[in-house]
Amino acid sequence: LTVDEDVESRIRAIRNDKTHGASWLSMSALDVLKVIAEEAPAGSSMQLLNTLREKAKRLIEVRPSMAPIANSVARLIHEAEAAGPIPLDSLRKAIAEKADEIVDESRISVNGAAENVSKLIEADGTIITCSYSSTVFEALILRPDIRVIVAESRPLFEGRLLAKRLAEHGLRATLIADAAMAAFINDADAAVVGADSVLADGSIVNKVGTRLLALAANDVGVRFYAATETSKFDARSLLGRAPVLEEGDPSEVAEEVRGVEIRNPYFEVTPARLITAVVTELGPMDVHMIVSQMEEMSRYVEPLLR
Amino acid sequence: LTVDEDVESRIRAIRNDKTHGASWLSMSALDVLKVIAEEAPAGSSMQLLNTLREKAKRLIEVRPSMAPIANSVARLIHEAEAAGPIPLDSLRKAIAEKADEIVDESRISVNGAAENVSKLIEADGTIITCSYSSTVFEALILRPDIRVIVAESRPLFEGRLLAKRLAEHGLRATLIADAAMAAFINDADAAVVGADSVLADGSIVNKVGTRLLALAANDVGVRFYAATETSKFDARSLLGRAPVLEEGDPSEVAEEVRGVEIRNPYFEVTPARLITAVVTELGPMDVHMIVSQMEEMSRYVEPLLR
């Protein structure tokens, strides 16, 4: 296996991975760039940077819906270029270290967002959620006093796993069908969901079911929080680019039914008007704060989109 | 098997039947009374009427959430009593005939409601629905020109069957997960659902998922119709009685998960403010019309509730 074959097989794995969330995949994407930095043949620093930039663009393209991939790899490329003209071996080492640093920062961000979310939940309160967001999970297990109502999250039932893990951490967990979210909304003090990305208008892209839960919560005055890291902010939406909403294999919804079209969208947009706050490592954020942060980030993301 | 044993086993079957809808079960309930009318030992017309009244109350009690059962059996008892003092044999015959008449009328009502609903759908339009309502099915197959988006309706997936049957009738059918209802709402010209019962405040009781669909529809200005017969009107709600919302077996939602409570509510209330119209065999009805009709029906239902 050449380095390039290894790299290409890792990129394919990221393209085909429908199990892990955007944060996890952005770590995998950084790993790919780290492998290139450490092992890819290169005659000069310039050549290595070119290879990195090219593969970074590929990584962004294979999962266009995942802002954290774009943010992480763009951030790494930006830092590598900012290192200036240094010898090839120093550059290889500097990039590998920087990749590890970004991974560490990402963990710190998740913990920070989780902590900020957990502070918004009252003592012995009840939270309702759908799908399985790592950030939401981290937030909830900081609060073993609460009860969590979890929608199973068809088609892949990741809500079942979340309910199981919450129970393992001592929380009271209740599992329901997605269709029953409105039937339980009055039991909840707040709804908390993750976000696969946050857009420049303050809306979020997240697993289907999120918008239904937001509508149910708003209808009865239950607060609706999106728990996420600023690394999920989609700077591309600043440029008016519409989010790409991935669709899964129809067979996940049902076996073929003669004459019936089966559709399996994974993601949907939940508008800002239904969101009480986007809660990140920086705290609860409104649309203005989101846009400022995004403008900052777009400085290094934008060059990679050309 | 004595007649009473046969009758009791039929009542148990109605109690345990989680497959059929309220209309179907109300026909079964009428069958039970017909068996009694034709075969139950009785010394006099009065004695037969007493037996019928007692079993009618049992039938209402075993499925308290199902207004059509109360309406059908109460109607039959009312007609039997209205027949006046006639010989036992004539009474037996009159009741059996009346039971058949009520069944026939019920079929005519379903057809009428279906026709009235079908007229509200524009040419080549797209309808979104959840669960499997016979009335909705009858309405949709009158319109082979339309496309229907069907939510699968967990936990028992009755939406899959509806999509299959619609396709067999030549309609374009699209099957989606319940969680994806908001993601498809903008594709629809109207949402149409059935109703297990209609309450005096104009709200409907229907399968969970209905309220989420109503919220999604209202959020984007898509019309939301409840298709049903007046036999589903719950006259008991006139007396302020809250609807009984049946809950199914948790194992239908998921296998046991250690430490996790699993809940499986079948029904939920969707408030009148989210419903464009309740469409029955009498046409689209508003709350005022619903209450007038219910007051009429309560004349014969109310005595059986004492």
Side-chain angles (χ1 to χ4, degrees):
Chain A
L1 213 69
T2 68
V3 176
D4 193 57
E5 282 165 355
D6 178 28
V7 162
E8 282 303 313
S9 116
R10 284 165 184 260
I11 293 178
R12 270 195 305 279
I14 289 172
R15 186 189 62 205
N16 299 330
D17 187 332
K18 306 291 174 181
T19 314
H20 291 99
S23 290
W24 197 96
L25 291 172
S26 74
M27 302 301 110
S28 298
L30 286 174
D31 264 350
V32 173
L33 297 185
K34 199 176 160 188
V35 165
I36 295 169
E38 291 181 329
E39 301 172 26
S44 68
S45 294
M46 185 71 89
Q47 216 176 54
L48 181 63
L49 279 175
N50 283 339
T51 306
L52 281 168
R53 213 179 290 110
E54 184 217 322
K55 297 298 183 187
K57 285 184 180 187
R58 293 269 334 275
L59 284 162
I60 294 175
E61 281 162 15
V62 294
R63 295 307 288 269
S65 69
M66 304 221 157
I69 296 181
N71 291 331
S72 305
V73 304
R75 169 95 182 282
L76 184 61
I77 298 297
H78 175 76
E79 304 271 2
E81 284 168 347
I86 56 173
L88 182 60
D89 278 356
S90 312
L91 182 65
R92 288 187 189 276
K93 206 163 155 251
I95 293 174
E97 281 172 8
K98 200 70 211 174
D100 290 341
E101 241 179 82
I102 297 175
V103 171
D104 287 346
E105 276 174 32
S106 167
R107 289 213 186 89
I108 293 168
S109 295
V110 171
N111 292 341
E115 209 163 294
N116 288 332
V117 170
S118 76
K119 285 184 209 149
L120 296 167
I121 308 173
E122 39 276 88
D124 300 312
T126 296
I127 293 299
I128 186 166
T129 189
C130 63
S131 194
Y132 187 150
S133 146
S134 319
T135 311
V136 171
F137 173 72
E138 295 296 336
L140 297 177
I141 60 172
L142 293 173
R143 297 293 306 277
D145 58 308
I146 64 171
R147 175 186 174 213
V148 185
I149 300 165
V150 184
E152 61 183 9
S153 304
R154 282 275 295 155
L156 298 181
F157 295 112
E158 59 269 29
R160 286 185 187 168
L161 184 61
L162 177 61
K164 182 169 174 279
R165 295 208 175 144
L166 291 173
E168 285 165 3
H169 281 77
L171 285 81
R172 289 165 290 153
T174 299
L175 183 66
I176 61 170
D178 301 325
M181 289 192 296
F184 281 93
I185 195 67
N186 278 118
D187 289 14
D189 301 300
V192 181
V193 300
D196 285 85
S197 63
V198 177
L199 307 183
D201 60 1
S203 62
I204 61 168
V205 175
N206 200 42
K207 184 82 195 291
V208 290
T210 302
R211 185 178 177 130
L212 291 172
L213 181 55
L215 286 164
N218 277 264
D219 187 52
V220 297
V222 164
R223 290 164 293 146
F224 184 87
Y225 296 118
T228 189
E229 302 79 56
T230 56
S231 63
K232 303 265 185 76
F233 286 13
D234 189 349
R236 295 166 297 182
S237 66
L238 272 181
L239 315 167
R241 194 185 285 209
V244 175
L245 304 176
E246 296 184 18
E247 193 151 341
D249 197 300
S251 67
E252 291 172 357
V253 173
E255 294 297 300
E256 220 173 298
V257 185
R258 186 198 289 266
V260 175
E261 176 197 40
I262 302 173
R263 293 283 302 276
N264 184 19
Y266 277 177
F267 300 107
E268 67 186 347
V269 174
T270 298
R273 67 185 153 83
L274 300 176
I275 302 171
T276 309
V278 171
V279 185
T280 74
E281 73 275 15
L282 305 177
M285 296 174 79
D286 61 18
V287 180
H288 181 75
M289 293 163 81
I290 290 169
V291 168
S292 300
Q293 178 69 19
M294 243 177 229
E295 279 167 351
E296 188 74 18
M297 293 160 71
S298 76
R299 283 193 305 123
Y300 51 85
V301 175
E302 211 253 338
L304 271 194
L305 301 178
R306 279 182 214 137
Chain B
L1 214 68
T2 68
V3 175
D4 193 56
E5 282 165 355
D6 178 27
V7 162
E8 283 302 315
S9 115
R10 284 163 183 261
I11 294 178
R12 269 195 306 279
I14 289 172
R15 187 188 63 204
N16 298 331
D17 187 332
K18 305 290 176 184
T19 314
H20 291 99
S23 291
W24 197 95
L25 291 172
S26 74
M27 301 301 108
S28 299
L30 286 174
D31 264 350
V32 172
L33 297 185
K34 198 176 160 190
V35 166
I36 295 169
E38 292 181 327
E39 302 173 26
S44 68
S45 294
M46 186 71 88
Q47 216 176 53
L48 181 64
L49 279 174
N50 282 340
T51 306
L52 281 168
R53 213 180 288 111
E54 184 216 323
K55 297 298 183 188
K57 286 184 179 185
R58 293 269 335 276
L59 285 161
I60 295 175
E61 282 162 15
V62 295
R63 296 305 287 271
S65 69
M66 303 220 157
I69 296 181
N71 292 330
S72 305
V73 305
R75 168 94 182 283
L76 185 61
I77 297 297
H78 174 77
E79 303 272 2
E81 285 168 345
I86 56 173
L88 183 59
D89 278 355
S90 311
L91 183 64
R92 287 187 190 277
K93 204 164 156 250
I95 294 174
E97 280 172 10
K98 200 70 210 174
D100 290 341
E101 240 180 85
I102 297 175
V103 170
D104 288 345
E105 276 175 31
S106 167
R107 289 215 187 87
I108 293 168
S109 295
V110 170
N111 293 342
E115 209 163 295
N116 289 332
V117 170
S118 77
K119 284 183 212 150
L120 297 167
I121 307 172
E122 39 276 89
D124 300 313
T126 296
I127 293 298
I128 186 166
T129 189
C130 62
S131 194
Y132 187 149
S133 147
S134 319
T135 311
V136 171
F137 173 72
E138 296 296 336
L140 297 177
I141 61 172
L142 293 174
R143 296 294 305 276
D145 57 307
I146 63 172
R147 175 188 173 212
V148 185
I149 301 165
V150 184
E152 62 183 7
S153 305
R154 283 273 296 153
L156 297 181
F157 295 111
E158 60 270 28
R160 286 184 187 168
L161 184 61
L162 176 61
K164 182 168 174 281
R165 294 207 176 145
L166 290 173
E168 285 165 2
H169 281 78
L171 285 80
R172 289 165 290 153
T174 300
L175 182 67
I176 61 170
D178 302 325
M181 289 191 296
F184 282 93
I185 194 68
N186 277 118
D187 289 13
D189 301 299
V192 181
V193 299
D196 285 84
S197 62
V198 177
L199 307 182
D201 61 1
S203 63
I204 60 167
V205 175
N206 199 41
K207 182 84 194 292
V208 290
T210 301
R211 185 178 177 132
L212 292 171
L213 180 55
L215 286 165
N218 277 264
D219 188 52
V220 296
V222 164
R223 289 163 292 145
F224 183 87
Y225 296 118
T228 189
E229 303 78 56
T230 56
S231 63
K232 303 267 184 76
F233 286 12
D234 188 350
R236 296 166 297 182
S237 66
L238 272 181
L239 315 167
R241 194 187 286 209
V244 175
L245 304 175
E246 295 184 19
E247 194 151 341
D249 197 299
S251 67
E252 291 172 357
V253 173
E255 294 296 300
E256 219 173 299
V257 184
R258 186 199 290 266
V260 175
E261 177 197 39
I262 301 172
R263 292 284 302 276
N264 185 19
Y266 277 176
F267 300 107
E268 67 185 347
V269 174
T270 298
R273 67 185 155 82
L274 300 176
I275 302 170
T276 309
V278 171
V279 185
T280 73
E281 73 276 16
L282 305 178
M285 296 175 79
D286 61 18
V287 180
H288 180 74
M289 293 163 80
I290 289 168
V291 168
S292 301
Q293 179 68 20
M294 245 178 228
E295 279 166 351
E296 188 72 18
M297 294 161 70
S298 76
R299 283 193 304 122
Y300 50 86
V301 175
E302 212 251 339
L304 272 194
L305 302 177
R306 279 183 213 135

